[in-house]
Amino acid sequence: MSATITPVDDPQRPASTPTSRGRRVMPRLVRPAAAVISGVLLYLSFPPRPLWWLVLPGFALLGWVLHERGLRAGFGLGLLAGLGFMLPLLHWTGEEVGPVPWLALATAEALFIAVGCIGIAAVSRLAWWPVWAAAVWALDEGVRARVPFGGFPWGKIAFGQADSVFLPLAAVGGTPLLSFAVVLCGFGLCEAVRRFRTYRSTGEVPLAAVAAAAATVLVPVAAAFAALPLVDDSPEDGTATVAAIQGNVPQLGLDFNAQRRAVLDNHVRRTEQLAQDVKAGKVPQPDFVLWPENSSDLDPYRNADARIVIDDAVKAIGVPTVIGAVVEPDTGKLRNTLIQWDPKKGPVSTYDKRHIQPFGEYIPMRSFVRLFSSDVDRVRRDFGPGKQVGVFDLAGTNVGLVTCYEAAFDDAVRDTVEHGSQLIAVPSNNATFGRSEMTYQQLAMSRVRAVEHSRSVVVPVTSGVSAVIRPDGTIVQQTKLFTADALVDKVPLRSSLTPATRMGTLPEGVLALIAVAGLGWVTVRSVRLRRSR
């Protein structure tokens, strides 16, 4: 005969309730939620918001999230942080083509960040971990700026620091050093808080660790103030009076390309209006004029009407003018070209954009991508990259040419300065992205480049925001979005080279070596630990 035993609740042990289960779940959600918040803080530190300082609590929070986590957790938490950062930052990429390209690009960039966060989690076990971790972040940015399809540097931490106290560091070591310093300070704040909490709980003060925490916060700030003398807007080579034309487009979105003649006519009319204003004494006579990228999507070499109206406008203003045009050779790929147009000789020199935009100006893996979006067929004929550095001699001023998207690439801007440019022009076309944050993010890049290379930067844009930027990164004139306008300003010309320009990729290479050394040391320690067991 068998007995059936009926379980009886132990009165000494509380029954599991939804509340107690919730209490167990909540701690598990804290770090994932904090990871997302850290990414959102990074996004909020970018223009058009003047909240650059949010990057510091953003990285302090990310440091806490990743500190001494396992590699798998580092990847997952890093992915959440990357999505919190990149999804809102790159929302403009889906402005006219829907969410698929936006989500795909943001996820791809977040995956790069997730991989970098594996490394950050690994080196967070080392002494002076903020240094190693910031170097890993800089390495991750460097890789992301190069692969795949030539890279996508958008979202570099440096590009959110145009109003920052750290900005002078761009003149010392370029965007890699600027990013590194900002990230180091954020992780240093995390370590400082950790050491304070340890003191509160134990009363112990490990002097070496406290000194390391203080140094990682204070050294970047001190270095930024020490670099202030490098930020100089004095006219070493005199000045030049430059005009930037913003003709505007007839409507928002991708379909503005269907009204190519209207876009050209807008820029012609605004240039002729400028000529009338000069004649009336309302504005000074410019030494040269800059039109935006795609200001003539009609090839003036093939289209006689386009050539005539451009020539008439340039003759009216009477000075060399840079025209942004789409050039259609008989065979081969299209060219996104800047043409130096002389009022007497016509077109005399050209510069073909070197860093062309994947999935915008050309479609990699076209048949595969078409499975996800038919919008790839809007790009019927791919653009091809140019190979020569663009520097035009415009009325005696050497003007370096960086076309739109190229402003995100360190080498594209540095090359023009190394080839003698005294001023940098960034002709751009942001009409495709409507009234999104994209134009402000890109304008901030030009401000950072101005300080990095100690050059005035002039940004003519089809639909805004066009701007004139001093070598110290300040904007002295700018237009409104989707408003026809012309900016005329006397800008300082400079020829000296900053340490960032002279050293080129060296600072980035040193930071990469530091990151690799930290990751290698962690790997060696891990192998030794396993063997000792």
Side-chain angles (χ1 to χ4, degrees):
M1 181 176 175
S2 62
T4 301
I5 299 176
T6 303
V8 179
D9 288 341
D10 184 349
Q12 302 299 319
R13 186 176 65 185
S16 177
T17 65
T19 301
S20 63
R21 287 195 296 271
R23 288 173 180 169
R24 291 196 298 270
V25 170
M26 285 302 293
R28 298 177 183 176
L29 297 179
V30 170
R31 286 185 188 269
V36 174
I37 293 170
S38 71
V40 172
L41 288 173
L42 299 187
Y43 157 67
L44 292 175
S45 72
F46 273 69
R49 292 159 296 278
L51 304 175
W52 62 266
W53 50 270
L54 285 178
V55 74
L56 299 178
F59 275 106
L61 189 57
L62 182 63
W64 174 77
V65 165
L66 297 174
H67 193 263
E68 296 190 352
R69 297 289 99 184
L71 303 187
R72 186 181 302 174
F75 178 83
L77 294 168
L79 181 61
L80 291 174
L83 291 171
F85 179 25
M86 288 294 174
L87 279 173
L89 186 78
L90 301 179
H91 184 263
W92 51 267
T93 59
E95 186 75 15
E96 295 295 331
V97 293
V100 173
W102 161 50
L103 295 174
L105 178 59
T107 301
E109 296 301 296
L111 285 169
F112 273 100
I113 292 174
V115 172
C117 286
I118 294 176
I120 292 172
V123 299
S124 69
R125 301 174 185 275
L126 298 177
W128 291 80
W129 71 266
V131 176
W132 307 110
V136 170
W137 183 277
L139 172 62
D140 190 68
E141 283 192 343
V143 173
R144 188 160 58 85
R146 291 171 171 82
V147 294
F149 312 120
F152 187 74
W154 222 276
K156 263 190 175 185
I157 295 303
F159 295 147
Q161 300 296 299
D163 292 304
S164 165
V165 298
F166 296 99
L167 180 60
L169 290 171
V172 179
T175 60
L177 181 63
L178 178 53
S179 287
F180 170 78
V182 173
V183 178
L184 175 61
C185 193
F187 285 153
L189 285 173
C190 171
E191 180 64 3
V193 171
R194 286 185 65 253
R195 291 302 168 186
F196 178 74
R197 293 182 64 187
T198 300
Y199 168 73
R200 289 286 301 271
S201 61
T202 66
E204 296 179 357
V205 183
L207 293 179
V210 171
T216 53
V217 174
L218 298 177
V219 169
V221 177
F225 281 102
L228 275 172
L230 294 173
V231 182
D232 186 356
D233 67 349
S234 61
E236 292 176 333
D237 302 329
T239 61
T241 300
V242 57
I245 301 296
Q246 179 173 299
N248 202 13
V249 298
Q251 64 183 47
L252 304 184
L254 292 170
D255 290 335
F256 84 91
N257 282 312
Q259 304 184 47
R260 295 180 296 173
R261 182 54 189 265
V263 175
L264 172 57
D265 288 344
N266 285 353
H267 287 83
V268 167
R269 278 195 297 269
R270 195 62 191 83
T271 304
E272 292 173 341
Q273 178 62 52
L274 174 63
Q276 294 173 14
D277 291 343
V278 170
K279 188 175 181 179
K282 296 180 181 179
V283 294
Q285 171 71 51
D287 295 314
F288 54 90
V289 176
L290 302 173
W291 282 20
E293 175 193 34
N294 298 134
S295 45
S296 177
D297 278 341
L298 294 171
D299 183 349
Y301 296 107
R302 302 176 67 90
N303 188 300
D305 288 346
R307 184 182 182 112
I308 289 170
V309 296
I310 292 172
D311 201 52
D312 287 345
V314 175
K315 286 179 178 177
I317 194 63
V319 295
T321 302
V322 176
I323 309 296
V326 173
V327 174
E328 305 177 18
D330 291 332
T331 60
K333 297 180 179 181
L334 300 174
R335 290 290 185 270
N336 188 336
T337 300
L338 298 176
I339 304 172
Q340 179 181 350
W341 206 289
D342 186 85
K344 295 180 179 179
K345 301 177 182 177
V348 293
S349 298
T350 60
Y351 166 68
D352 293 332
K353 186 176 182 180
R354 291 176 292 159
H355 288 272
I356 55 175
Q357 184 181 354
F359 305 104
E361 292 172 302
Y362 76 102
I363 307 296
M365 307 181 298
R366 183 182 289 267
S367 59
F368 175 74
V369 175
R370 190 182 289 112
L371 298 174
F372 302 94
S373 175
S374 61
D375 283 314
V376 298
D377 293 323
R378 289 178 182 266
V379 182
R380 296 186 179 90
R381 185 177 175 185
D382 286 342
F383 283 79
K387 300 189 182 301
Q388 301 297 320
V389 177
V391 178
F392 287 168
D393 181 345
L394 301 177
T397 298
N398 291 327
V399 178
L401 304 169
V402 181
T403 307
C404 195
Y405 179 63
E406 292 185 310
F409 293 86
D410 294 345
D411 64 317
V413 186
R414 184 174 58 247
D415 283 352
T416 69
V417 181
E418 291 175 335
H419 280 72
S421 66
Q422 300 164 295
L423 176 149
I424 298 170
V426 187
S428 302
N429 173 24
N430 298 336
T432 302
F433 306 109
R435 299 184 182 274
S436 70
E437 295 181 357
M438 183 270 187
T439 189
Y440 301 102
Q441 294 172 10
Q442 189 176 50
L443 184 59
M445 294 179 191
S446 293
R447 294 180 63 193
V448 173
R449 298 303 185 191
V451 173
E452 181 179 10
H453 300 293
S454 194
R455 295 292 187 273
S456 297
V457 178
V458 181
V459 186
V461 185
T462 50
S463 56
V465 174
S466 299
V468 179
I469 304 167
R470 288 285 186 268
D472 63 0
T474 57
I475 297 175
V476 292
Q477 288 194 49
Q478 70 179 69
T479 65
K480 296 179 180 179
L481 281 170
F482 294 98
T483 303
D485 206 345
L487 304 178
V488 181
D489 190 56
K490 182 180 290 186
V491 298
L493 303 178
R494 295 179 59 82
S495 55
S496 62
L497 302 182
T498 64
T501 309
R502 292 180 185 277
M503 290 192 291
T505 60
L506 180 61
E508 187 177 30
V510 170
L511 292 172
L513 288 175
I514 293 172
V516 171
L519 293 170
W521 178 234
V522 168
T523 303
V524 170
R525 278 188 20 166
S526 178
V527 170
R528 287 178 177 175
L529 182 61
R530 283 199 298 269
R531 287 178 177 175
S532 66
R533 291 177 180 174

